[in-house]
Amino acid sequence: MTYVDGLASGINASQMITSLMAAERVPQQQLNSQRITLNRQQSAFNDVKDLYKAALTKVQNLADTATWNAKKATSSNDSVAATVTSDALTTQITFNVTQTAAAHSMYTNDVVQADDIVATSGRFAGMTATEAIDDINNDETLNTTAALIQTAPGDYRIQLTAHDTGATSNIGVTAADFDLLTGGLATLTQGRNAQISIPGDTPLVIESTTNTFEDLVPGLDITVTQTTSDPTTITIGDDVDALADNVEAMFTELGAAISRVDSLTDTDATTRSLLSSSGVLRRSENSLTRAVIDPVDNSTLVTGSFAGITLGQDGAITFDRAAFIDAYEKDPEAVTNLFHSDTAGTETILSRLENELEAATNFTDGYLSTSEDAVEQRIRQIDDQIAAWDIRLEKRELNYRQMFTQLETALSNLQQQASWLSGQIANLPSAESMRGG
């Protein structure tokens, strides 16, 4: 509605309407403030859920039996590499590398130019040396790599090498395939197996078609790169460092989650936090802490305090890596049983943590999910109320403008009537003129 201020009344109605509407909008502004707070709470719940999920992933990884059975292999010789799986046996093996594996390799006795035709019939009929080499290298079924080796400026020999190593290694072409090269093929390297020898009165010789000996002992693979003059010893033992890494990573994620919950639920009057009224989160923080520090009947250590876990006065859980490794090396079974069990239903630190974190983060009925959903529902309700206020305020402003318009119209009419009356009065005969008449 178009409105011109104070033509009749002199009142600045637009300014008055703005002031009136500012007062009218206070309830809607309060709703907007509530919505901002709820959005922050929803984001906070989501942050906590993400941190809990990250911690749960670390807990589940650590709860894997393979993690606690992790092994490492050390080699006394840098030319012998060793890898192990978690089911490898704790043992030691000593051997000499007497031979490395090689692929069968041959070359042409005849010297060729790169553009010489090498065959009149068969696979390479009409092909130059370069074309024949390309054809060989592009055909995986030949199991052969070909190359032109320059032996003098412009003079080449064709080298052919099998893809596979081992005594049965063979190239996929023959001298007959190069019928214009009458000199035939010479052996550059005879295919052979790798060999290691376990010393003794009657040495035990072990062969492999490659330089890798798989399952030399169960769960152990070794790869050799050269023969050795001195015996090589491979030692397999528990990989305590890798285990400590996994435990430390789990406590790092768990600590981040608990710290975030603590900051969100701080009830200090001067620093009242975003979710200080959330009893769910405070109970969750307490449950996670107790999952770590409560006694574990499954272990002779009983509590994590004997495996590097401490609870500070501020409620923060601390993991001492060196103390954990020391405890594990003294009694690996007791430390393992403190955290992990292969028996379903046995309570350990990890089982308690997993149960609590899953109860929090489950997509359908996890308490963090349901709390987040409750906030979302409240946000939708407030959005509806804000939208209703938009309609109400629009109508209210229209009413104010109509009211001031009516006021101006009435004042204008009164002013016109007053002006008319003044005119009429002014035209009335004066008293003197009436006496004179």
Side-chain angles (χ1 to χ4, degrees):
M1 173 182 291
T2 303
Y3 181 80
V4 180
D5 282 329
L7 290 178
S9 66
I11 298 173
N12 188 341
S14 294
Q15 184 175 348
M16 291 186 66
I17 291 172
T18 298
S19 298
L20 289 167
M21 290 306 301
E24 295 280 0
R25 288 192 177 93
V26 169
Q28 188 186 51
Q29 291 169 349
Q30 291 173 340
L31 288 172
N32 280 318
S33 296
Q34 290 179 40
R35 194 189 193 289
I36 292 171
T37 299
L38 288 170
N39 281 332
R40 291 176 59 210
Q41 288 178 345
Q42 186 180 38
S43 178
F45 274 122
N46 189 62
D47 287 347
V48 172
K49 186 161 67 172
D50 287 344
L51 288 169
Y52 274 29
K53 285 180 178 179
L56 178 59
T57 298
K58 295 297 184 183
V59 167
Q60 290 173 334
N61 176 63
L62 193 56
D64 187 346
T65 299
T67 302
W68 291 90
N69 290 339
K71 297 291 190 298
K72 67 177 179 180
T74 56
S75 172
S76 64
N77 192 316
D78 291 340
S79 67
V80 180
T83 58
V84 288
T85 60
S86 61
D87 57 356
L89 301 175
T90 300
T91 189
Q92 190 177 79
I93 184 171
T94 300
F95 54 85
N96 293 300
V97 181
T98 55
Q99 182 172 283
T100 57
H104 192 60
S105 183
M106 306 187 78
Y107 62 90
T108 59
N109 284 313
D110 290 349
V111 174
V112 297
Q113 304 295 311
D115 56 357
D116 283 351
I117 302 299
V118 295
T120 58
S121 62
R123 180 185 181 101
F124 307 124
M127 291 187 184
T128 64
T130 300
E131 291 170 337
I133 285 172
D134 287 341
D135 185 71
I136 293 169
N137 290 335
N138 289 326
D139 189 345
E140 289 294 327
T141 64
L142 295 177
N143 194 40
T144 301
T145 298
L148 276 178
I149 306 300
Q150 185 170 235
T151 55
D155 292 337
Y156 298 88
R157 294 175 190 258
I158 298 175
Q159 181 181 334
L160 304 164
T161 305
H163 290 170
D164 300 329
T165 59
T168 59
S169 168
N170 206 356
I171 61 176
V173 295
T174 65
D177 291 320
F178 305 107
D179 60 9
L180 290 180
L181 305 182
T182 58
L185 298 175
T187 298
L188 178 64
T189 303
Q190 183 64 46
R192 64 176 182 267
N193 293 337
Q195 289 183 351
I196 61 173
S197 174
I198 298 177
D201 293 337
T202 306
L204 176 60
V205 177
I206 303 169
E207 295 192 355
S208 171
T209 57
T210 71
N211 283 324
T212 296
F213 293 76
E214 296 181 352
D215 273 344
L216 181 60
V217 297
L220 170 67
D221 297 342
I222 66 164
T223 299
V224 301
T225 56
Q226 64 185 44
T227 58
T228 57
S229 56
D230 297 318
T232 296
T233 298
I234 304 294
T235 303
I236 303 173
D238 291 335
D239 194 349
V240 185
D241 287 327
L243 178 59
D245 286 343
N246 283 309
V247 176
E248 187 169 32
M250 185 272 289
F251 276 114
T252 297
E253 294 291 351
L254 183 64
I258 292 176
S259 176
R260 179 62 171 152
V261 171
D262 188 59
S263 67
L264 289 170
T265 57
D266 187 2
T267 55
D268 189 298
T270 59
T271 58
R272 190 168 179 82
S273 300
L274 187 61
L275 295 174
S276 56
S277 61
S278 176
V280 167
L281 284 184
R282 286 198 297 274
R283 288 192 297 272
S284 174
E285 179 183 2
N286 182 61
S287 295
L288 289 173
T289 302
R290 290 184 63 87
V292 175
I293 66 172
D294 278 1
V296 177
D297 295 336
N298 190 51
S299 172
T300 56
L301 292 180
V302 183
T303 72
S305 60
F306 295 103
I309 303 170
T310 56
L311 182 66
Q313 292 183 348
D314 59 354
I317 298 172
T318 303
F319 175 71
D320 186 329
R321 176 190 176 89
F324 174 85
I325 291 175
D326 183 60
Y328 188 89
E329 288 177 342
K330 289 178 179 177
D331 194 342
E333 182 179 2
V335 174
T336 299
N337 290 342
L338 188 68
F339 286 88
H340 169 74
S341 174
D342 289 326
T343 304
T346 301
E347 189 174 280
T348 63
I349 290 176
L350 293 177
S351 70
R352 293 189 300 222
L353 284 173
E354 186 171 10
N355 289 339
E356 179 62 27
L357 291 169
E358 284 184 338
T361 58
N362 184 278
F363 181 75
T364 55
D365 59 2
Y367 58 76
L368 289 180
S369 298
T370 55
S371 296
E372 193 175 1
D373 290 344
V375 174
E376 174 64 28
Q377 183 177 0
R378 179 60 182 143
I379 289 173
R380 287 196 297 267
Q381 292 172 347
I382 288 181
D383 284 341
D384 291 341
Q385 293 177 43
I386 291 173
W389 267 102
D390 284 336
I391 297 171
R392 186 181 306 167
L393 290 169
E394 184 178 354
K395 291 181 178 179
R396 190 67 57 83
E397 184 172 0
L398 180 61
N399 289 338
Y400 281 136
R401 291 195 179 278
Q402 288 174 340
M403 181 182 71
F404 279 100
T405 298
Q406 291 169 359
L407 174 63
E408 288 293 330
T409 300
L411 287 174
S412 177
N413 289 336
L414 288 172
Q415 288 173 352
Q416 290 175 11
Q417 291 175 9
S419 177
W420 180 83
L421 287 172
S422 296
Q424 292 299 313
I425 293 171
N427 291 326
L428 288 174
S430 64
E432 292 181 358
S433 64
M434 292 179 67
R435 283 195 301 268

